[in-house]
Amino acid sequence: MAQPAAGGAVTAGAVLQLVRRKDELEARIRACYELLRDSGVGPDEPLVDAEGFPRADIDVYRVRAARHSIACLQNDHKALMKQVEEALHQLHAREKEKQAKDQAEALAEAQSQSQSLPQAFARVNAVTPESPASVSGLQVDDEIVEFGSVNVHNFQNLQNIATVVQHSEGRPLSVTVIRNGKKVHLGLTPKRWAGKGLLGCNIIPLQR
């Protein structure tokens, strides 16, 4: 009978072996019952006649052997089913433990990334297609960490950004944003274009 792998760890392969063994036992039990049926006798019918002599209408030895096999095989089947149940329980418990560990590691990594991200001071809530902002790769919901020389430490209001933009027309500005929990660096060049202003985007302060 298949046993768990060394060290007590149950593998999926070991469970499959147990299931195959169970199927084999059930097939042998069915064969024994078919033998009894073909012999015209049930599993509990008496094998002697009214006078106590072995019945002449059946192969008593063959029937007794089949009944004995059924009893032994059913005991083996019961023990095997217990093994299968315990093995499946261990597999499920280990899988649940692995999922919990993976979730804990993912959460810890997310928290670590969140703690290491710099603080943003503004958010992009609109970007016009074909504008300098759009061409630079700026996206709606980007949270701005640095806009040229402006950062969380010296940002007071949107006029700070407007001043930097006016003084940087035609020159690339270094812009750092947080997007989907990650820091992204962009090069944004304020310039005249078909639309209004020099950027073509709308920025709002973040309320902390």
Side-chain angles (χ1 to χ4, degrees), residues 19-165:
V19 172
R20 280 196 290 267
R21 172 69 176 153
K22 175 188 76 72
D23 292 342
E24 291 169 5
L25 283 176
E26 289 172 352
R28 290 172 63 188
I29 291 171
R30 284 195 301 272
C32 289
Y33 274 111
E34 287 171 6
L35 189 151
L36 291 180
R37 187 189 63 210
D38 293 343
S39 299
V41 64
D44 302 313
E45 266 182 70
L47 302 182
V48 294
D49 58 22
E51 297 177 359
F53 291 101
R55 287 170 56 177
D57 60 326
I58 59 174
D59 185 338
V60 174
Y61 176 79
R62 191 181 182 201
V63 169
R64 278 180 176 161
R67 286 179 173 180
H68 178 71
S69 292
I70 288 173
C72 293
L73 290 169
Q74 284 179 334
N75 284 337
D76 288 347
H77 185 268
K78 184 178 180 181
L80 187 61
M81 287 304 295
K82 186 177 180 182
Q83 263 193 288
V84 170
E85 185 180 348
E86 290 174 352
L88 286 173
H89 178 73
Q90 287 187 43
L91 270 184
H92 291 156
R94 199 162 71 230
E95 182 62 25
K96 192 174 181 181
E97 182 181 341
K98 181 180 180 297
Q99 287 179 353
K101 183 181 177 183
D102 290 346
Q103 287 176 355
E105 288 176 353
L107 181 60
E109 183 179 352
Q111 288 176 339
S112 174
Q113 286 184 351
S114 176
Q115 290 170 358
S116 64
L117 288 174
Q119 188 176 350
F121 60 86
R123 180 173 66 84
V124 179
N125 70 345
V127 177
T128 305
E130 309 301 328
S131 66
S134 175
V135 171
S136 76
L138 203 63
Q139 297 181 10
V140 172
D141 288 333
D142 281 350
E143 294 192 350
I144 300 173
V145 173
E146 291 180 351
F147 196 100
S149 59
V150 182
N151 56 46
V152 69
H153 302 296
N154 59 21
F155 175 77
Q156 294 174 329
N157 52 52
L158 292 178
Q159 184 58 44
N160 300 136
I161 293 178
T163 300
V164 169
V165 170

Side-chain angles (χ1 to χ4, degrees), residues 147-189:
F147 196 100
S149 59
V150 182
N151 56 46
V152 69
H153 302 296
N154 59 21
F155 175 77
Q156 294 174 329
N157 52 52
L158 292 178
Q159 184 58 44
N160 300 136
I161 293 178
T163 300
V164 169
V165 170
Q166 290 166 5
H167 286 87
S168 302
E169 184 176 351
R171 298 198 306 269
L173 276 172
S174 175
V175 178
T176 303
V177 301
I178 296 172
R179 181 183 300 162
N180 299 324
K182 295 181 180 179
K183 200 159 62 168
V184 179
H185 298 284
L186 305 169
L188 171 57
T189 302

